[in-house]
Amino acid sequence: MIPAILTGVRLHMKQASRNPFDLSGVIVWPILYASIAYYLLDAKNDPRLLLSASLGAAVMLMWSLVVIASSGALEQQRWQGTLELVVAAPTPLTAVIGPICIAGALVGAYAIGATLTWGALLFDVPVKVEQPLAFAIAIPACALAVGMLGLIMAATFVLYRASFHLGIATQYPVWIVSGLLVPISFLPDFVRPLSWVLAPTWGFRAIQEAALGGTPWPDIGMCLVLSLVYLAIGGSCLVAFEYVARARGSLRLT
Amino acid sequence: MNTLRVVFVGGLTSYRALFNWISPWIFIPHTLGYPIFEILFFVYLGRFAGVESDRFFLIGNAFLAIAVTGMFGMGHATAGERRSQTLAALLASPANRFAVFLGRALPSIVTGFFVATTSFAICAAILGVHVPLSSLSGLAIATAAAAFSCTALGLCLGALGLRGRNVSVFADVIAACMLLVSGANVPLEKLPGWLQTISSGIPLTHGIKAAREVANGASIAATSDLLLKELAVGGVYLAAGLFMLRLFEYDGRRTGSLETF
């Protein structure tokens, strides 16, 4: 199973790196969100805030690519008529879909470089990482946790044929609740408990704390714990939803 | 008469075909849910930054909802035909091309208008933003003008779909740029001069400006120049889109590339 996962991650990363849709997403979207944040937050004249906005915009993209990659890949396989073959293969579906999500998140990690470069070149945002080792570990930890959250989403995509639209619709709610550009303290109180169970919240905090100087390790730990929890939930949901889709005979429906 | 039939019956049929693959239970939450959360996201960002009012972001992003439905609806019309392998049959028919694609544009305009007004009303209620009743007619006119210009831009994208295989990438990038350049989320005076020049030539910019002035108490007559500019921008894109449709259809026939995925 491990070789299947590693091969899947490698294959989907290659695919995403050659897909113009994903590439434009990696380059254009985070830069635009970061630019909007720079123009708006510039009023506060706080370089650390602008650096934090760069990282937040990158994690936003990471989540987007996970849902787009997983939902888009399933929709694509439906159209190509290969989804049934994938489901019928002896390899567990989790080992097929999990790598799609993780690869999406890892490609999204490129966006960190894009937003930091853009901010430094055009908006004079200082790029100084206080804890490089923690920063280097926080990025894959964040990608893993966000990717595993995507696995839970992907389970529902197996069941519904309009998976791509469902995936797209989850972007803004997760961005808001995770406090990526707007601190959670600015949001209504009922949002806080929701943010605790979402990987982007902890992944962003880990990267932010490592970059700005803080205590990133507990957040990195939370990313790993959440990854395991998501894997258990997502894997179980996939098995259950796969059974329902087989029973209904709806896998192939485009 | 036949042209009108192609516009309305063809448009209605293509719109109904949408529900062949997407359930209304998914279509409605998606078309409404996305703009509602987009509005809330930028309103909270504006509050955090201490820039402009909730109403500023509410109006700007409700108008962006028009851009999404108008542009993507039209932009995907040709891509959808190609994907379901009906594009060649459609273009082989003697039907007036303008009527065929206008038929596909009308539902997009109506959807864009519905989405913008509904998400505006829901978010105004959530955020407690008050808009005077007297300004609603002006807002509706500005919305209609913006829906027209966005759909005209969508026609250009749809025409590009005859030429390029993956027009959704281009549409996606343009939609992303509109978040910044149209003045929906960043006051235009904060943008660099060259970006302000670009923003004056794209759909939405003048419509959003007119809507904000109307919401602040200006009369429709006082904003008529902005509305006319919005319509003029839409007219230019409409003309360009029709020209591109003709050009790329000819080129697609010549190179046999209409069905290329």
Side-chain angles (χ1 to χ4, degrees):
Chain A
M1 192 160 153
I2 301 281
I5 291 174
L6 292 177
T7 306
V9 170
R10 203 179 69 235
L11 178 74
H12 289 291
M13 273 195 77
K14 271 187 180 175
Q15 256 181 356
S17 304
R18 284 159 179 75
N19 182 339
F21 189 88
D22 289 344
L23 284 180
S24 73
V26 170
I27 296 164
V28 177
W29 281 96
I31 281 176
L32 280 162
Y33 279 110
S35 300
I36 291 170
Y38 296 149
Y39 281 122
L40 292 179
L41 297 173
D42 189 40
K44 296 201 166 186
N45 204 14
D46 181 353
R48 286 166 63 88
L49 193 61
L50 295 181
L51 178 58
S52 175
S54 299
L55 299 171
V59 177
M60 282 164 66
L61 192 268
M62 211 182 263
W63 171 245
S64 294
L65 281 188
V66 166
V67 286
I68 288 172
S70 56
S71 60
L74 285 174
E75 193 175 76
Q76 190 86 0
Q77 294 203 358
R78 276 206 171 91
W79 277 93
Q80 291 166 347
T82 50
L83 186 58
E84 291 153 303
L85 298 175
V86 168
V87 170
T91 310
L93 197 55
T94 310
V96 177
I97 295 179
I100 297 175
C101 301
I102 296 171
L106 287 174
V107 171
Y110 292 157
I112 293 177
T115 52
L116 291 181
T117 308
W118 180 258
L121 290 178
L122 271 85
F123 295 89
D124 294 327
V125 178
V127 182
K128 190 184 171 205
V129 175
E130 296 287 342
Q131 300 178 39
L133 176 66
F135 189 73
I137 294 173
I139 292 171
C142 176
L144 179 68
V146 172
M148 286 295 103
L149 179 59
L151 185 68
I152 298 177
M153 294 294 304
T156 59
F157 300 157
V158 171
L159 204 55
Y160 295 105
R161 52 187 180 154
S163 56
F164 188 69
H165 297 267
L166 278 173
I168 294 283
T170 63
Q171 288 184 110
Y172 275 107
V174 172
W175 293 349
I176 294 172
V177 175
S178 305
L180 299 179
L181 281 187
V182 181
I184 295 165
S185 55
F186 265 78
L187 303 174
D189 289 340
F190 71 87
V191 169
R192 283 182 201 181
L194 293 174
S195 72
W196 297 336
V197 296
L198 290 177
T201 308
W202 302 98
F204 170 59
R205 275 191 205 173
I207 296 172
Q208 185 191 36
E209 295 273 304
L212 300 179
T215 50
W217 298 107
D219 300 309
I220 292 172
M222 268 307 287
C223 285
L224 299 177
V225 170
L226 278 177
S227 299
L228 290 174
V229 174
Y230 292 153
L231 179 63
I233 296 172
S236 308
C237 288
L238 263 178
V239 171
F241 292 164
E242 179 197 324
Y243 175 80
V244 173
R246 280 171 185 260
R248 286 184 187 169
S250 60
L251 268 177
R252 178 68 191 272
L253 296 179
T254 50
Chain B
M1 183 55 79
N2 188 51
T3 301
L4 285 177
R5 188 184 64 80
V6 170
V7 170
F8 290 106
V9 178
L12 184 64
T13 308
S14 95
Y15 198 59
R16 283 177 63 193
L18 189 66
F19 294 97
N20 185 41
W21 62 269
I22 187 166
S23 152
W25 295 107
I26 293 174
F27 178 76
I28 293 170
H30 171 249
T31 47
L32 280 179
Y34 190 90
I36 286 171
F37 281 106
E38 184 174 335
I39 290 169
L40 294 176
F41 177 81
F42 284 107
V43 164
Y44 281 113
L45 183 58
R47 283 183 185 178
F48 173 55
V51 176
E52 298 292 349
S53 63
D54 287 0
R55 184 190 285 173
F56 177 91
F57 294 98
L58 174 63
I59 291 176
N61 288 286
F63 272 66
L64 277 174
I66 304 172
V68 171
T69 48
M71 266 173 44
F72 282 83
M74 272 307 292
H76 285 291
T78 45
E81 299 284 353
R82 171 182 281 143
R83 196 174 194 184
S84 48
Q85 298 181 13
T86 49
L87 185 61
L90 183 75
L91 295 181
S93 74
N96 182 314
R97 297 290 176 265
F98 177 67
V100 167
F101 286 97
L102 184 64
R104 278 148 178 75
L106 277 179
S108 297
I109 294 175
V110 174
T111 308
F113 190 84
F114 167 76
V115 168
T117 49
T118 311
S119 53
F120 180 88
I122 292 172
C123 287
I126 293 172
L127 298 165
V129 174
H130 175 70
V131 177
L133 280 176
S134 57
S135 62
L136 289 184
S137 56
L139 283 174
I141 292 171
T143 309
F148 162 72
S149 60
C150 284
T151 309
L153 176 60
L155 183 66
C156 295
L157 297 174
L160 280 176
L162 292 176
R163 178 80 183 208
R165 284 189 299 172
N166 200 352
V167 75
S168 62
V169 174
F170 195 51
D172 201 53
V173 170
I174 289 183
C177 292
M178 277 187 161
L179 283 171
L180 174 68
V181 185
S182 67
N185 292 305
V186 179
L188 288 175
E189 61 272 14
K190 276 182 172 281
L191 297 176
W194 61 272
L195 217 47
Q196 289 184 35
T197 307
I198 292 174
S199 75
S200 64
I202 62 168
L204 284 185
T205 306
H206 304 293
I208 289 174
K209 206 171 174 184
R212 283 181 180 142
E213 288 187 12
V214 166
N216 286 333
S219 65
I220 297 171
T223 58
S224 58
D225 59 329
L226 288 169
L227 293 171
L228 286 173
K229 279 183 190 171
E230 184 71 25
L231 290 172
V233 167
V236 170
Y237 282 106
L238 179 67
L242 289 172
F243 173 74
M244 286 160 68
L245 264 183
R246 183 161 293 220
L247 180 70
F248 293 148
E249 183 189 336
Y250 171 78
D251 200 51
R253 284 171 187 269
R254 192 176 60 82
T255 56
S257 61
L258 284 173
E259 292 275 300
T260 311
F261 269 91

